[in-house]
Amino acid sequence: MIRTKRPGRGATLPHTDAGEAAVFASRVGNGALFGGLALLAVLVGALDIRTGDEMHLVPLLVVVPALVSVFGTIRQTVGVATWIMIVAVCSRLVTGGTFWSITSSVVFTALACFLGVGACALRIRHAAEIARLRSAAVALQRQILRPLPILTDQIVAHGIYTPIEEDRLVGGDIYEVVQSPYGTRAIIGDVQGKGLAAIGAGFAVLGAFREAAIREPGLTGVVDALEDAVARHNAFSAQTGETERFVTALVLGVDGDDRVQAVNCGHLPPRLLHDGVARAAVLRHTSVPLGMAELSAQARVAEQLDFPPDATLLLFTDGVTEARDASGAFYPLDTRLGHWARRGPREVLDALHTDLEAFSEGVRRDDIAALALRRAPAGGHRRRPAAGHGARRAAETFGRREGHGRAAVCDPMSR
């Protein structure tokens, strides 16, 4: 937890997010601010004396608190306003004048300083609200998407996830890796659209995947459960007036063999990095995205992909391939991966993330999600025996519940 002191208040308040803490932090040091202010006051005072009675420049200093309110803290703005009040009042008393002219000048200066402080307080309050909303959105997505890396009996899954830094912070990229009695099941997907509605569809897919990955013995059965989840979510969205959405997804099943099962639902094919070579994995059957099965007469099928030891299987969303540079050119993923094919999965992801930031000059147009899968080291299952055991126990629980349900339907006397 980060603790910061809000300028202008004595109490120290807790902030759980660095973004919110940055709102209350000063952007300019007090030394530089008040040193510059003193220099400005001296220059304006000297010019005011030089011009004499023809033009009084000191009253123009009332705009300084308004300028400081744009970037300063409340305490800094109050300090600047106080200093300007002292300078303006002293200058007016020295130059003299009638009672009403002096009084009106002092009142005008005080009003301008008060408005500057008020504008600063409103700016900081608004920025803090935006920071809290953004923090809540990020925390929501971080709770939905499990932290990486993830170790199972079969694989180690490293990954990166970078949300788009805009008001619609929560995107629709999803991923998950689940240990099941039938091996490790993994998914990476991209929900159509952005915002909370998109993450709602993504959460529906993730919930169905976490359940079906343990329950279904076949990978196509897992995908069928995901299709049903998206269809149910779209039906509910239609009732509430929301837009129906589809989800592109790549679902993998990894066991102890040197091959991996894959069902591609309109997603980008993975890349295999092995023996210093990076190449696209060949998928001969690409079916329609999740939520669009009614538009296709062909059933989804599972294919076999090579996944030898010491190879890295890279899964990613279109935020990687559709990143653009200043000229509008797309990111050359395959060319870049060729330079990193001999690196480990974590090093490949680090290089990919750094290179994407440099290529796009920090301008993101979509979420970026990528998983790098590597076979678990020999004996990894002995270090984590609870993973497979928990999955088997969950599958047995599902089986018993389904068995009881069928028995209750078949035998009306069972009650």
Side-chain angles (χ1 to χ4, degrees):
M1 178 175 290
I2 302 173
R3 289 188 175 269
T4 58
K5 183 176 289 185
R6 293 192 182 185
R9 299 184 182 181
T12 301
L13 300 177
H15 297 290
T16 57
D17 180 70
E20 186 180 353
V23 171
F24 298 96
S26 59
R27 302 180 187 179
V28 179
N30 291 334
L33 177 62
F34 289 101
L37 180 63
L39 180 60
L40 177 63
V42 171
L43 291 176
V44 172
L47 290 175
D48 190 73
I49 295 174
R50 188 177 183 84
T51 57
D53 294 336
E54 297 179 359
M55 181 182 297
H56 292 291
L57 300 178
V58 172
L60 298 178
L61 290 175
V62 296
V63 303
V64 175
L67 295 176
V68 175
S69 68
V70 175
F71 60 85
T73 64
I74 296 179
R75 178 168 294 179
Q76 288 176 333
T77 306
V78 170
V80 170
T82 303
W83 174 253
I84 294 301
M85 276 290 299
I86 295 173
V87 172
V89 171
C90 292
S91 172
R92 197 69 182 89
L93 292 176
V94 170
T95 57
T98 65
F99 172 78
W100 291 111
S101 64
I102 295 176
T103 302
S104 61
S105 177
V106 171
V107 170
F108 175 76
T109 303
L111 179 62
C113 293
F114 177 78
L115 291 177
V117 174
C120 180
L122 290 176
R123 175 187 64 83
I124 291 179
R125 179 180 178 181
H126 180 66
E129 290 176 354
I130 293 177
R132 282 192 291 269
L133 290 174
R134 178 169 292 184
S135 174
V138 173
L140 171 65
Q141 184 137 11
R142 295 304 185 192
Q143 290 299 317
I144 293 174
L145 300 177
R146 283 205 294 165
L148 295 160
I150 300 173
L151 173 65
T152 70
D153 292 345
Q154 287 78 29
I155 63 171
V156 180
H158 296 271
I160 56 174
Y161 175 76
T162 306
I164 186 172
E165 292 295 337
E166 294 180 357
D167 291 339
R168 293 182 175 183
L169 183 62
V170 181
D173 286 5
I174 57 173
Y175 64 82
E176 183 58 285
V177 179
V178 174
Q179 177 73 63
S180 80
Y182 317 104
T184 298
R185 268 76 185 271
I187 183 175
I188 189 167
D190 188 358
V191 183
Q192 174 200 12
K194 299 285 186 297
L196 293 176
I199 202 60
F203 186 65
V205 173
L206 287 176
F209 177 78
R210 289 162 181 163
E211 176 184 335
I214 297 176
R215 183 189 66 229
E216 298 293 337
L219 198 62
T220 54
V222 175
V223 177
D224 290 341
L226 304 183
E227 174 67 32
D228 293 341
V230 177
R232 288 193 299 268
H233 179 81
N234 283 337
F236 177 77
S237 298
Q239 294 175 1
T240 57
E242 294 287 343
T243 302
E244 297 183 17
R245 299 176 185 275
F246 62 83
V247 182
T248 66
L250 179 65
V251 184
L252 302 181
V254 186
D255 52 23
D257 298 333
D258 288 346
R259 295 176 71 81
V260 56
Q261 279 191 317
V263 178
N264 189 3
C265 303
H267 201 74
L268 298 167
R271 303 299 192 263
L272 184 69
L273 285 68
H274 187 232
D275 287 339
V277 178
R279 60 180 176 84
V282 179
L283 291 173
R284 296 179 175 83
H285 302 281
T286 300
S287 60
V288 296
L290 299 173
M292 303 179 68
E294 294 182 353
L295 303 179
S296 176
Q298 296 181 348
R300 295 186 172 99
V301 296
E303 301 181 60
Q304 297 286 334
L305 298 177
D306 291 331
F307 190 25
D310 299 328
T312 297
L313 195 62
L314 183 67
L315 289 61
F316 50 89
T317 59
D318 57 7
V320 175
T321 55
E322 294 182 3
R324 298 175 182 242
D325 62 8
S327 65
F330 289 107
Y331 182 70
L333 175 64
D334 293 318
T335 302
R336 296 293 205 268
L337 288 179
H339 304 313
W340 311 324
R342 295 189 181 278
R343 301 186 185 183
R346 183 67 262 169
E347 291 74 18
V348 170
L349 291 174
D350 290 340
L352 176 63
H353 184 261
T354 302
D355 196 48
L356 276 171
E357 288 290 317
F359 181 82
S360 62
E361 298 180 354
V363 179
R364 301 192 187 102
R365 296 176 175 85
D366 199 356
D367 301 327
I368 295 174
L371 292 179
L373 310 183
R374 177 70 70 93
R375 294 281 182 180
H381 60 282
R382 290 193 294 270
R383 291 196 302 271
R384 293 189 55 180
H389 176 69
R392 284 191 295 272
R393 196 168 64 179
E396 292 171 358
T397 301
F398 280 124
R400 285 197 301 270
R401 289 177 179 175
E402 292 182 357
H404 292 333
R406 287 191 295 266
V409 171
C410 296
D411 186 5
M413 300 300 293
S414 59
R415 298 188 181 183

